[in-house]
Amino acid sequence: MQPDEAAAREEIRDLAARYNLYGDTGRTEQEARLFTADGTLEFVDLDAAPRRYTGHSDIQGFFEGVKSAWLAEIRDTGVSARVFHHLTTHVIDMTGPRTARGTAYVALIRHFGLAEWGRYTDEYTLTDSGWRFSYRRVTREGEVGPDRGVRGEVHG
């Protein structure tokens, strides 16, 4: 592996880590700016139809909706809204000098433990601001509710 490819892979890993950190800490504007100006976020939630958001404003609006739901949960139940996304098995394939693709597994930890799991499927583009998501598909494959009921796929 050449040094420029190694640097690109590390910058892409940092991009993915910032996505989780900014989301976990409610920094929706910063999180949305991790996408290219015309980037797309696609969210696939268990058996629901995929939802697509394109551009910083649309993507930030989605993130704000998630943040509002978690804040409402605090208000309604008194439980902690703290969330921790855990990213693993991040595989990055360079497709050109300024483009790459990647996949990773993600687990969401909440106040009661493991809450959700799934995967990210990404396309990355090197911009003047650094590596950005040109496309991210978030696939939520399963969840465990506070009552510990499981919904979705469990692979064993």
Side-chain angles (χ1 to χ4, degrees):
M1 181 180 313
Q2 297 299 315
D4 57 335
E5 182 180 341
R9 289 172 184 272
E10 185 56 30
E11 290 170 23
I12 290 168
R13 284 186 182 90
D14 184 70
L15 172 71
R18 287 178 188 281
Y19 175 91
N20 286 344
L21 176 67
Y22 294 161
D24 290 350
T25 56
R27 293 184 267 176
T28 60
E29 182 177 353
Q30 289 172 288
E31 188 177 20
R33 297 267 175 225
L34 297 175
F35 287 79
T36 59
D38 61 348
T40 297
L41 172 66
E42 184 173 45
F43 191 82
V44 181
D45 190 6
L46 298 171
D47 298 327
R51 294 174 282 162
R52 292 176 69 92
Y53 308 91
T54 300
H56 294 149
S57 179
D58 201 24
I59 293 169
Q60 184 178 353
F62 169 71
F63 293 149
E64 284 290 336
V66 172
K67 180 179 173 180
S68 293
W70 285 342
L71 291 174
E73 184 177 317
I74 291 174
R75 184 186 64 246
D76 296 344
T77 66
V79 300
S80 172
R82 291 284 307 186
V83 296
F84 304 91
H85 284 82
H86 181 72
L87 185 74
T88 64
T89 317
H90 191 184
V91 176
I92 300 165
D93 295 313
M94 303 305 296
T95 58
R98 301 180 66 84
T99 58
R101 289 192 176 124
T103 60
Y105 299 129
V106 61
L108 176 68
I109 309 301
R110 301 219 30 221
H111 67 280
F112 56 85
L114 176 65
E116 301 175 9
W117 58 91
R119 71 183 67 230
Y120 296 139
T121 305
D122 300 325
E123 294 178 13
Y124 315 104
T125 300
L126 181 58
T127 71
D128 291 341
S129 300
W131 286 93
R132 296 291 182 261
F133 298 105
S134 51
Y135 173 81
R136 171 162 265 200
R137 180 182 179 114
V138 178
T139 304
R140 190 165 73 133
E141 296 179 346
E143 67 179 354
V144 179
D147 62 355
R148 308 310 291 164
V150 176
R151 194 169 78 104
E153 294 187 35
V154 178
H155 303 282

